[in-house]
Amino acid sequence: MQTSPRLILLWRVLVFFAALSPLGYWSAQVALGHAGPEPGQYLLLKFGLCALVLLLLTLALTPLTRLTGWRGFTAIRRQLGLWCFAYALLHLTSYVLFILGLDVSLLWDDIQRRPYIIVGALALLGLLVMAVTSNRVSMRRLGKRWKRVHSLVYGVLLLVLLHFFWVVRADMAEWAGYALAGAALLLLRLDALSRRLPALGRRLRLR
Ligand code: HEM
């Protein structure tokens, strides 16, 4: 499918505003007092979930490109990955501001109460490594190793799902939905399945 550079630019701008809008909406909900009795906790959970959704969307872009042949999906991969990192940082910021109340000396006690914080921190570290190496200079410098560094994304996904699993425990339905989506995306990366996507796309008249 051919797409003009102008259309790709417009698409990138649209994706930018679409990714920014949840931040605007949730901030407005807090400002208007519609975020419930614990607005800090509200933001913490919304930002964490948004980071997970963006991670899954980022992982969906390569299979979508193979299925449709549309390069617009590849064109927004870096942007969506960086948005995922940005929401994960907002999630951490909400934790430090609203849960710890900026008192970092409470962190050790909190980690003992909720060890899943370590798992989240490891996932964030993985996202950080990918965010700082997502530019052209790093791509050139790392050469073949760049792909290996960015395959960290699968480990990050598993860590985030574990982090989330540990948080919910009681109501597993929502978690299971995200885990299924993650498992499907991981399966689609397998060579045997990934190679069939262009043919499937042609059969479905998507390319
Ligand atoms: C240092 C890093 C992190 C810290 C300190 C942290 C902390 C937390 C805490 C305290 C909660 C539970 C809130 C509660 O129910 O009381 C939580 C939930 C969650 N976190 Fe993190 N997290 C971190 C990293 C991440 C990352 C990197 C992601 C995703 C990319 C993430 C996604 C989530 C999700 C999806 C939830 C559950 C949201 C829900 O129940 O709706 N977290 N996190």
Side-chain angles (χ1 to χ4, degrees):
M1 199 191 303
Q2 284 297 318
T3 314
S4 73
R6 253 198 200 170
L7 196 69
I8 294 281
L9 181 66
L10 181 66
W11 164 238
R12 278 189 164 137
V13 173
L14 272 176
V15 169
F16 178 88
F17 285 106
L20 185 64
S21 56
L23 174 60
Y25 177 74
W26 294 323
S27 307
Q29 292 290 90
V30 169
L32 296 169
H34 295 165
E38 292 182 62
Q41 177 81 1
Y42 170 89
L43 286 177
L44 172 76
L45 297 183
K46 296 289 186 199
F47 289 149
L49 210 55
C50 188
L52 170 57
V53 169
L54 285 165
L55 184 63
L56 291 170
L57 284 177
T58 309
L59 276 168
L61 294 174
T62 300
L64 280 172
T65 309
R66 293 188 71 80
L67 198 65
T68 62
W70 190 49
R71 71 185 182 91
F73 290 122
T74 320
I76 57 162
R77 199 167 52 187
R78 175 165 184 252
Q79 190 192 159
L80 273 198
L82 288 175
W83 273 114
C84 164
F85 178 58
Y87 275 98
L89 274 186
L90 285 168
H91 179 63
L92 170 64
T93 309
S94 314
Y95 172 73
V96 175
L97 272 180
F98 308 120
I99 308 295
L100 297 183
L102 277 179
D103 185 353
V104 186
S105 68
L106 298 177
L107 184 61
W108 181 240
D109 276 349
D110 205 29
I111 287 178
Q112 283 178 327
R113 232 168 22 97
R114 329 193 244 196
Y116 60 76
I117 285 172
I118 303 266
V119 181
L122 287 175
L124 189 61
L125 195 66
L127 288 176
L128 171 71
V129 171
M130 288 188 287
V132 297
T133 57
S134 66
N135 51 71
R136 279 180 203 281
V137 180
S138 303
M139 258 179 156
R140 217 174 317 119
R141 277 209 193 131
L142 288 167
K144 278 188 184 156
R145 281 173 300 158
W146 189 87
K147 252 195 157 171
R148 225 180 306 148
V149 171
H150 281 252
S151 51
L152 265 180
V153 69
Y154 307 113
V156 168
L157 176 62
L158 293 176
L159 285 171
V160 174
L161 287 173
L162 174 63
H163 175 72
F164 189 8
F165 176 81
W166 217 319
V167 171
V168 283
R169 274 175 303 196
D171 174 18
M172 295 312 298
E174 189 188 10
W175 178 84
Y178 289 102
L180 267 179
L185 289 169
L186 290 180
L187 279 177
L188 282 176
R189 285 300 169 102
L190 294 179
D191 233 26
L193 286 180
S194 161
R195 256 187 286 126
R196 287 167 198 244
L197 288 177
L200 179 66
R202 274 191 293 276
R203 210 171 314 143
L204 297 173
R205 297 185 186 283
L206 296 172
R207 48 186 302 153

